[in-house]
Structures are given as C-alpha cells and as structure tokens.
Amino acid sequence: MHKPRATDFALDIAADLQKWRSFVAIGELGSLTRAALFLDSNQSFLSRQVNALERECGTRLFNRTGRGVELSEAGQRLFPQVKDLLERAQALEHDIRADLREPVGTVTLGSLPSIGTILTGRLFSAVRARLPGVSLKVLEGSSGQVEEWLTDARVDIAILYRYAPTLPEGEEALATVDSYLIGPRDDRLTANGQVPFASLDGLPFILPSAPNGLRTALDAGARHARIALAPVIEADSLPLQKQLTAQEGLYTVLPLHAVWQEVQEGRLQAARIVEPPFQRTVALAFSRSKGPSSAVTAVTGHIVRIVGEMATQGMWRS
C-alpha cells in the first residue's frame, strides 16, 4: 500500500527571512546606517547579519565604498530573487491574517429539500450581503444521502430532521417542527386546522419510500396507533408530493414550512397532527473530519438567526 510522503524542503541559507529582509533594505538604500533606521535596528547588528549571510553563501554580497555599500555582482544576481521571495511571503502573511479577520472560502451545506427550499434563499442573501469572502455550495438530498455526505465530509454543515427525543452527540437543535396532514383545497379533513393521528387511517397517501426518516417514524406511529398507512403512490420528490396532493386529491405529511407558500395562496390545506402530536427536530450537524473554519462558523450564525426569524413567522418553534 502506498504511504504518503511529506514534501522535503531543504532550507538552510534561505530559512531566515529576516536576514534577507536586511539584505534587501541595505541593497535598496545603499547604507547600513539608513537601513538600520528603516528597520528600527542598529548598524552593528546589520553588519553581523551581512557577514553571516556572506559566510553562508560563500561569496561577498556587498562592496564597501567611501559613500556606503553597493551590491556586488553576486548580490545583484540574488537581489531580484530574494525580493520576489519576500514579496510572496508578505502576500501569504496578509492572506493568513485576512482569513483570521474576515471569513473566506466555500461552505458546503447539505439539507433536505423541505428545509432547503425555504431556508437557502434567505441564507444566500445574508451571506452575499455580510460575508463577501464566502461562497455557498448547496446539496439537497434524502436524509440518507445527507447523512452519507456528512460522514464522507462532502458537506461542512448538514441540516437534518431527527425524530428521536435526544439528538446524536455533537448535533444542535435548531427548532421543533410539528407535522401536518396536507390535503387539497376545500378538503374537509384538513379544514379545521387540527386532525387526530388516528384520522390518517386508510387515507390515499403520497409518501416517500423507505428508508426515509419521515416514513419510518410514520410507520412506527401507525403500528402504535393500530391504523393502516397504505400510500397509493410513493415518491421522494417534494414538488411531486405537493403537485399530486393538489391535483389528485391525495394526502401527504409535511412540516408547515414545506408548504408555506402553497397554503398562503390557497392551493393546499394543512392541519396539525395531534393526539398525539407528531413532531420532529431540525438539527444542525458538522463534519467531524473537518474543524469548523471561520467561514463555517459565520454561516452557522446566519442559519441560527434565520431559523429564529422563521419561528416568529409561525413556521416552527425555535
């Protein structure tokens, strides 16, 4: 099996950039005295640095003149390369410090379609306005796909539904979400705003196929309530679930935020499932193989803020 190898940089003479900074300053100013003032140092220290460099290089780098010093032939050949090295080192230092002050980089978010549809637009607007150095990459998929992306470190942040009363270690609860029975316009069953879980018995459902977190939780709830959930069609597509519910008189189960616009426009109706309530937690998870960068931390802050704003609109409880 191939073993990774580190790059072997053989640095000796070029290892101390401060000495070469002195070399460039003396070469540009032509005087140890002026270079000492510029570098806030003293002339004897710079003289020792030059002597040390010349010993390491095995050649004279400066010629002493009555007016000061000037680069020797060898010094002239080295000067542009050394100055370029220092300029690139300075640019790297600026980049490092800028990254610490202002988040930069790409943040990959993995989410379920029912969350991403309502959240991503707001998040993009916030990141674009307040984090100019950060770009977003969004992946949408089933709960199993998002879990896989999280494990494989394909995403930095994942937003998932959790149906258990406790969250896996390291995850953070963003909101508690009620589940709603979604029906077509003018449907009697969903007209009252609430519906007992037992009323789901035998309805013509369009539901996601197993394995799926919602489907697994619904099937478990149905077994406990001793009712039958027999979908007439299975579809993992959120748009298709909403379309067939509206057009074919079917039912589905979704959080209110997933159908917020359709309910506001009167194309669908939603009744909160009660007796017992059927709830889920919106959870925030991070890739364990990556330490959260400043960009990830900044984007997470905006996610938490936006979720809180959506709670005040009645989409969920923060």
Side-chain angles (χ1 to χ4, degrees):
M1 181 177 178
H2 175 69
K3 293 183 179 180
R5 296 179 60 186
T7 304
D8 185 14
F9 293 105
L11 296 178
D12 186 9
I13 298 174
D16 187 351
L17 294 182
Q18 289 298 336
K19 286 192 292 189
W20 290 107
R21 182 169 177 251
S22 300
F23 165 79
V24 169
I26 296 167
E28 289 179 328
L29 297 172
S31 165
L32 285 170
T33 302
R34 288 195 291 269
L37 290 172
F38 173 75
L39 296 171
D40 193 20
S41 184
N42 61 73
Q43 186 173 338
S44 60
F45 176 73
L46 291 187
S47 182
R48 290 196 299 272
Q49 278 194 321
V50 169
N51 291 336
L53 275 176
E54 290 180 333
R55 286 195 302 272
E56 291 169 5
C57 294
T59 187
R60 184 172 292 279
L61 300 176
F62 292 98
N63 295 321
R64 280 67 176 172
T65 69
R67 293 174 298 176
V69 295
E70 61 183 20
L71 289 165
S72 67
E73 183 179 344
Q76 291 176 17
R77 291 201 308 270
L78 285 176
F79 184 86
Q81 299 177 64
V82 172
K83 188 173 181 180
D84 180 64
L85 173 64
L86 292 175
E87 287 174 346
R88 285 186 281 119
Q90 179 176 265
L92 172 61
E93 185 159 328
H94 285 331
D95 287 346
I96 293 171
R97 293 188 183 278
D99 189 37
L100 294 176
R101 288 194 305 267
E102 181 179 299
V104 295
T106 300
V107 175
T108 304
L109 172 68
S111 74
L112 308 175
S114 61
I115 303 175
T117 301
I118 195 73
L119 177 66
T120 303
R122 300 181 188 209
L123 180 60
F124 170 73
S125 296
V127 169
R128 190 179 191 185
R130 302 178 189 180
L131 300 172
V134 175
S135 60
L136 280 179
K137 180 179 179 181
V138 180
L139 303 179
E140 284 190 354
S142 66
S143 55
Q145 287 176 311
V146 177
E147 292 270 17
E148 184 178 336
W149 296 335
L150 192 63
T151 301
D152 294 343
R154 288 186 58 193
V155 298
D156 302 295
I157 306 170
I159 303 178
L160 296 154
Y161 291 138
R162 298 299 190 193
Y163 296 88
T166 57
L167 295 179
E169 183 180 355
E171 294 188 10
E172 176 185 346
L174 290 176
T176 300
V177 180
D178 290 304
S179 293
Y180 285 72
L181 178 66
I182 310 302
R185 181 174 57 187
D186 299 328
D187 173 61
R188 288 193 215 173
L189 187 57
T190 55
N192 294 327
Q194 291 188 350
V195 59
F197 188 86
S199 298
L200 275 57
D201 186 24
L203 293 179
F205 273 113
I206 174 171
L207 293 174
S209 56
N212 172 276
L214 170 65
R215 182 65 183 276
T216 300
L218 276 174
D219 288 344
R223 287 193 297 271
H224 182 76
R226 297 186 178 182
I227 64 174
L229 292 183
V232 295
I233 180 173
E234 295 182 327
D236 294 338
S237 167
L238 177 62
L240 186 58
Q241 291 173 24
K242 294 191 287 187
Q243 177 186 341
L244 292 186
T245 297
Q247 294 179 356
E248 301 296 331
L250 303 182
Y251 294 91
T252 191
V253 175
L254 290 169
L256 185 58
H257 62 263
V259 291
W260 185 263
Q261 184 174 352
E262 291 83 358
V263 170
Q264 296 296 315
E265 295 173 353
R267 289 183 282 141
L268 291 173
Q269 291 183 178
R272 185 164 64 92
I273 298 173
V274 296
E275 300 177 14
F278 188 68
Q279 297 176 326
R280 67 191 86 181
T281 299
V282 180
L284 186 72
F286 301 94
S287 171
R288 293 186 179 182
S289 62
K290 297 181 179 179
S293 65
S294 59
V296 170
T297 301
V299 170
T300 301
H302 284 294
I303 291 173
V304 172
R305 177 183 59 79
I306 292 167
V307 166
E309 292 173 354
M310 293 166 69
T312 63
Q313 295 178 314
M315 294 187 188
W316 46 39
R317 294 193 300 278
S318 61

